[in-house]
C-alpha cells in the first residue's frame, strides 16, 4: 500500500520505475551469483607431491619413515581454480580435499600450497629472467658428474653449486666412472669449498656412504646426461626402475633418459638416525641457466673467494676490466694459485 494519494502518484515522473514494475531477466543457468568468499577447508589433509604429469599431481598422504604404515596412501589430485597461477612442483607440501582415500579411480583436489623451506630454480639460459621452479623443500643437492665419457665440465658444476647456495640447499658431489680417469684434477677446482665428495666405479659403489647422507633428508639429484645418475638411483632405490641410456661414441654426449622429475623413498638401513630419505630424480640437462640469480646469489656460491672479495672497492664488478679488483691482486701476489685463478675465471663468466 502506498502512502501517496492517487493524484500524487499520477504526478510522480518516476512512477514507471517503481520496484514493483521493474522486470528482471531470469537467470538462465539457475545458479547463485559467484562470491569471493572461499571455504575454509577445515577437513583438508596434508600430502607431499611426488610426481607431476599433465595437470595431474600424485601426492603421498601420511608419509612417514615406515612405508608399510597402513595410514599412508597415494592419491591423484588436480589443482583448484584459484591455484592456476601457482606452480606446484615435486616436494611441495599441499592441502588436499575431496576423495583422499587413494582408491582406484578417485580424484582429490589441491586447495593450498604450504610455505616452502627451500626452492630450487633454473632458467632456460642466462639471458632469461623467467625462473623455472624445479623442486621444493629439498635439503641437499647431489651433483652427479663423470670422471670421463662424458668429460666433466667445471663450469656446469659451478652453476649447480650457485643454484644450490642461492636456494639454501647443501651441495654434495658424486663423481662416477673413476675407473676411466683420475678424478682428482677435476675435484681440485672445488677443494676450497669443502663439499662432500663420493667416488664411484662400476665395481665399487659407495652406496653405504651415500645412504648415510640421504637418511632423514630430501635430496635432489642433478647431472649432465650420460653421467650415470639413473644408474646410481636404481642402485639406491631398486624398485625405481629408472630408464638407463648410453653415451654417444662420436659426440661424447649422453641421451636424456629421465623425461620427468619424480620423488622416491630411499631406504637407509644402518643409517645413524634410522630415518629413510627421499631421492628426487630430475631430467639430465646440458645447460643450467642462472638468469634469475642475483649477483649476491652467485657470489655466495664462491665461499673460497668471499674473504678476498670483501677487500674489493665499493661497487666493484669483479670483472677483468674492474679497476683495483682484489681478485686480480690475489692472483698477482700468489694468494690464489692456478686452481684459484680458474675459480676466478668461472666466477667472472657467471657474473657476465
Amino acid at each position: 500500500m502506498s502512502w501517496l494519494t492517487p493524484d500524487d502518484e499520477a504526478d510522480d515522473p518516476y512512477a514507471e520505475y517503481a520496484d514493483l514494475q521493474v522486470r528482471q531477466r531470469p537467470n538462465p543457468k539457475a545458479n547463485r551469483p559467484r562470491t569471493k568468499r572461499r571455504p575454509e577447508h577445515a577437513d583438508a589433509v596434508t600430502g607431499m607431491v611426488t610426481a607431476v604429469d599433465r595437470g595431474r599431481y600424485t601426492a603421498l598422504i601420511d608419509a612417514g619413515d615406515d612405508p608399510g604404515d597402513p595410514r599412508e596412501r597415494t592419491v591423484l589430485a588436480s589443482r583448484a581454480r584459484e591455484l592456476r597461477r601457482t606452480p606446484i612442483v615435486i616436494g611441495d607440501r599441499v592441502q588436499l580435499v575431496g576423495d583422499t582415500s587413494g582408491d582406484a579411480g578417485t580424484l582429490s583436489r589441491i586447495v593450498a600450497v604450504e610455505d616452502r623451506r627451500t626452492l630450487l630454480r633454473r632458467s632456460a639460459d642466462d639471458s632469461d629472467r623467467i625462473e623455472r621452479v624445479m623442486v621444493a623443500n629439498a635439503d641437499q643437492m647431489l651433483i652427479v658428474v663423470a670422471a670421463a665419457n662424458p668429460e666433466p665440465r667445471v663450469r656446469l658444476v659451478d652453476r649447480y653449486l650457485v643454484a644450490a647456495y642461492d636456494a639454501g640447499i647443501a651441495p654434495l658431489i658424486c663423481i662416477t666412472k673413476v675407473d676411466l680417469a683420475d678424478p682428482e684434477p677435476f675435484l681440485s677446482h672445488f677443494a676450497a669449498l669443502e663439499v662432500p665428495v663420493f667416488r664411484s666405479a662400476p665395481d665399487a659403489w659407495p652406496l653405504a656412504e651415500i645412504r648415510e647422507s640421504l637418511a632423514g633428508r630430501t635430496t635432489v639429484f642433478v647431472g649432465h646426461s650420460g653421467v650415470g645418475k639413473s644408474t646410481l638411483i636404481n642402485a639406491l632405490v631398486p624398485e625405481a626402475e629408472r630408464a638407463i641410456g648410453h653415451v654417444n661414441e662420436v659426440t661424447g654426449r649422453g641421451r636424456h633418459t629421465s623425461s620427468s622429475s619424480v620423488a622416491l623413498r630411499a631406504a637407509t638401513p644402518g643409517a645413524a638416525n634410522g630415518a629413510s630419505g627421499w631421492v628426487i630424480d630430475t631430467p639430465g640437462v646440458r645447460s643450467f641457466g642462472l638468469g634469475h640469480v642475483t649477483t649476491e646469489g652467485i657470489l655466495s656460491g664462491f665461499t673460497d673467494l668471499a674473504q678476498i672479495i670483501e677487500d674489493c672497492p665499493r661497487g666493484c664488478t669483479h670483472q677483468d676490466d674492474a679497476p683495483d679488483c682484489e681478485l686480480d691482486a690475489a692472483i698477482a701476489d700468489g694468494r690464489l694459485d692456478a686452481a684459484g685463478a680458474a675459480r676466478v675465471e668461472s666466477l667472472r663468466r657467471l657474473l657476465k
Side-chain angles (χ1 to χ4, degrees), residues 62-85:
D62 288 331
D65 295 333
D66 182 11
D69 191 331
R71 297 174 301 174
E72 183 177 295
R73 57 200 184 276
T74 301
V75 302
L76 188 66
S78 62
R79 73 166 70 197
R81 176 177 293 182
E82 55 265 29
L83 297 179
R84 62 185 180 274
R85 296 184 181 275

Side-chain angles (χ1 to χ4, degrees), residues 1-328:
M1 178 182 294
S2 173
W3 56 271
L4 297 174
T5 64
D7 293 337
D8 292 336
E9 290 182 351
D11 295 337
D12 185 2
Y14 303 104
E16 62 177 309
Y17 301 110
D19 292 344
L20 75 164
Q21 296 183 12
V22 173
R23 297 184 58 186
Q24 294 185 355
R25 180 177 298 176
N27 189 343
K29 296 183 179 179
N31 55 9
R32 287 191 286 180
R34 295 190 62 183
T35 174
K36 293 184 178 180
R37 297 180 61 184
R38 294 291 180 263
E40 297 181 357
H41 298 303
D43 59 339
V45 296
T46 303
M48 171 185 169
V49 177
T50 58
V52 180
D53 183 19
R54 292 169 293 184
R56 291 293 182 262
Y57 304 87
T58 303
L60 192 63
I61 297 175
D62 288 331
D65 295 333
D66 182 11
D69 191 331
R71 297 174 301 174
E72 183 177 295
R73 57 200 184 276
T74 301
V75 302
L76 188 66
S78 62
R79 73 166 70 197
R81 176 177 293 182
E82 55 265 29
L83 297 179
R84 62 185 180 274
R85 296 184 181 275
T86 302
I88 302 176
V89 297
I90 305 294
D92 267 327
R93 268 63 174 178
V94 296
Q95 296 292 317
L96 298 136
V97 298
D99 193 335
T100 58
S101 64
D103 296 338
T106 60
L107 184 68
S108 59
R109 185 161 55 100
I110 298 175
V111 295
V113 179
E114 296 185 356
D115 293 338
R116 295 155 169 164
R117 295 183 291 104
T118 61
L119 192 61
L120 179 62
R121 303 164 295 170
R122 65 181 287 255
S123 58
D125 52 54
D126 290 344
S127 61
D128 186 4
R129 299 297 175 182
I130 301 177
E131 62 186 37
R132 273 75 169 172
V133 180
M134 295 179 61
V135 174
N137 299 314
D139 304 301
Q140 302 178 136
M141 174 193 286
L142 182 64
I143 304 168
V144 185
V145 59
N149 192 30
E151 293 297 319
R153 296 165 56 186
V154 174
R155 291 185 176 87
L156 180 59
V157 176
D158 275 338
R159 291 172 175 270
Y160 286 137
L161 291 170
V162 168
Y165 288 125
D166 178 68
I169 300 174
L172 311 168
I173 295 177
C174 179
I175 185 162
T176 62
K177 307 181 185 180
V178 296
D179 56 315
L180 300 181
D182 181 10
E184 298 309 320
F186 172 78
L187 293 175
S188 64
H189 295 282
F190 314 101
L193 297 179
E194 299 181 353
V195 177
V197 176
F198 306 99
R199 295 166 177 81
S200 173
D203 56 347
W205 293 87
L207 298 182
E209 295 84 352
I210 295 178
R211 285 195 177 104
E212 178 70 26
S213 68
L214 299 180
R217 301 180 179 90
T218 299
T219 306
V220 53
F221 282 50
V222 298
H224 189 284
S225 304
V227 297
K229 178 167 55 68
S230 296
T231 302
L232 177 60
I233 289 178
N234 286 339
L236 293 168
V237 190
E239 62 273 17
E241 298 181 351
R242 300 295 280 174
I244 298 174
H246 66 278
V247 178
N248 190 303
E249 296 181 358
V250 177
T251 64
R253 293 183 175 182
R255 294 182 58 190
H256 294 286
T257 55
S258 299
S259 58
S260 61
S261 299
V262 64
L264 306 163
R265 180 187 274 112
T268 54
N273 54 15
S276 62
W278 284 95
V279 168
I280 300 179
D281 186 18
T282 60
V285 298
R286 297 186 180 128
S287 63
F288 200 93
L290 297 175
H292 64 283
V293 179
T294 63
T295 300
E296 291 73 17
I298 295 177
L299 294 176
S300 67
F302 291 80
T303 54
D304 52 330
L305 303 177
Q307 186 174 359
I308 298 175
I309 290 174
E310 288 180 357
D311 296 329
C312 285
R314 185 176 181 179
C316 181
T317 62
H318 313 298
Q319 295 290 357
D320 295 326
D321 56 353
D324 301 324
C325 180
E326 192 66 19
L327 293 174
D328 293 322

